Amino acid sequence: MTLTHRTNGPAALRPAPLTWLYAPGDRPDVVGKALGSGADVVIVDLEDAVAPDRRGYALAATRELLADPQPVPVHVRVHAPRDIPSLVSLPGLVALRVPKVTHPTDIARIVEISAGLPLFPLLENALAVEHAYAIATAHPSVHGISLGEADLAADLGVRDDRGLDWPRSRVVVAARAAALPPPVQSVHADVRDLDALAASCARGRAMGFLGRTAIHPRQLPVIERAYLPTPDEIAAAEEVVKAAEADEGALALPDGRFVDAAVVTGARRVLALAARRR
């Protein structure tokens, strides 16, 4: 998978990853299963999923795994910057997920030791949300931003999921303003309630997110279905693209919808995602 950054050309229309599966770095057996789960991206976790006394083992096990290329893209969520130098040269590593980023200077420090790897900062407190755009534009190595909602909710004292709606919209706007891909939704912690997961994904999609991180393989098909365009959306996008190919510039479709360049670009993104259905 080729990661793209700050581009408005054809690469921006490639199908985006929709499913990102976390696996604890101190459980090589679980990581192995994650690699064969069908997830678009596997995130080996050295942070929250690993007990403090097992972090050394988790780092060593991750280094051993990523000494070879892997069948799917692998990111590592590091626990601390000191983890990074021992990871950056590994052939199986595609990108780093950096937790608890609060300021663009945090990115500057990571860039110095990350050997040009793509970085995905996680915004997990109020200050980080305030600095969302500055973090997103801190360096070309930043390939995406997203929220760490559990820590953010605790920091804000939020007691209802709707209390995170403003930070969610903030990070969606910041990513778009920085010409980054749409943010990925944070995990849904209840791995048994798939109906609630589907409803949450539908809401996230409506807010501008694209795809979601997961903590169990059973969540993956629910996330993918929620984020794939519906048959009606595909038909509408095909109509827009066909009209645009026949007549350049702004135009109105027979049903009265107005079509301009931005609408056409959105329709092409829908069709790129729709290719995953085949």
Side-chain angles (χ1 to χ4, degrees):
M1 180 186 71
T2 301
L3 294 169
T4 60
H5 180 63
R6 291 173 171 79
T7 177
N8 294 313
L13 302 179
R14 295 173 185 162
L18 297 182
T19 53
W20 311 63
L21 181 60
Y22 277 104
D26 64 337
R27 295 285 306 280
D29 57 328
V30 175
V31 175
K33 292 176 181 177
L35 291 169
S37 68
D40 294 326
V41 179
V42 170
I43 305 170
V44 179
D45 195 6
L46 303 181
E47 198 205 16
D48 289 347
V50 179
D53 63 350
R54 289 181 60 82
R55 286 195 174 121
Y57 169 70
L59 180 59
T62 300
R63 281 178 45 80
E64 182 176 354
L65 170 76
L66 298 181
D68 298 308
Q70 298 302 311
V72 297
V74 176
H75 295 197
V76 171
R77 179 166 72 168
V78 298
H79 167 60
R82 64 175 176 270
D83 297 336
I84 294 174
S86 66
L87 294 169
V88 292
S89 63
L90 298 174
L93 179 63
V94 168
L96 295 170
R97 301 185 80 80
V98 187
K100 297 178 174 59
V101 172
T102 60
H103 193 276
T105 56
D106 297 334
I107 298 299
R109 288 191 288 268
I110 297 298
V111 165
E112 292 179 355
I113 57 175
S114 59
L117 277 171
L119 304 177
F120 289 79
L122 298 174
L123 315 185
E124 303 184 65
N125 60 33
L127 184 59
V129 173
E130 285 295 300
H131 289 152
Y133 178 72
I135 291 169
T137 56
H139 192 272
S141 291
V142 176
H143 281 235
I145 58 173
S146 57
L147 296 176
E149 290 192 356
D151 284 359
L152 179 60
D155 185 53
L156 296 175
V158 168
R159 297 181 178 275
D160 186 288
D161 185 71
R162 292 171 297 179
L164 293 178
D165 281 356
W166 187 86
R168 288 166 178 157
S169 292
R170 176 76 178 96
V171 78
V172 168
V173 171
R176 178 59 187 157
L180 294 174
V184 176
Q185 269 190 288
S186 296
V187 299
H188 185 77
D190 188 340
V191 300
R192 296 167 298 178
D193 193 343
L194 299 183
D195 289 339
L197 171 62
S200 176
C201 288
R203 193 157 184 271
R205 184 182 180 213
M207 295 185 73
F209 289 88
L210 183 62
R212 188 163 201 164
T213 52
I215 53 176
H216 195 284
R218 70 167 62 101
Q219 296 178 313
L220 301 177
V222 177
I223 294 168
E224 183 163 21
R225 282 195 302 271
Y227 273 98
L228 283 175
T230 66
D232 286 347
E233 289 169 336
I234 294 169
E238 288 173 340
E239 184 179 11
V240 167
V241 171
K242 183 178 179 180
E245 290 172 348
D247 188 0
E248 294 183 1
L251 66 148
L253 298 179
D255 63 3
R257 283 180 295 152
F258 180 77
V259 175
D260 62 9
V263 174
V264 175
T265 297
R268 287 180 172 142
R269 289 197 183 100
V270 168
L271 296 182
L273 275 175
R276 295 172 62 110
R277 285 189 176 275
R278 303 190 181 102

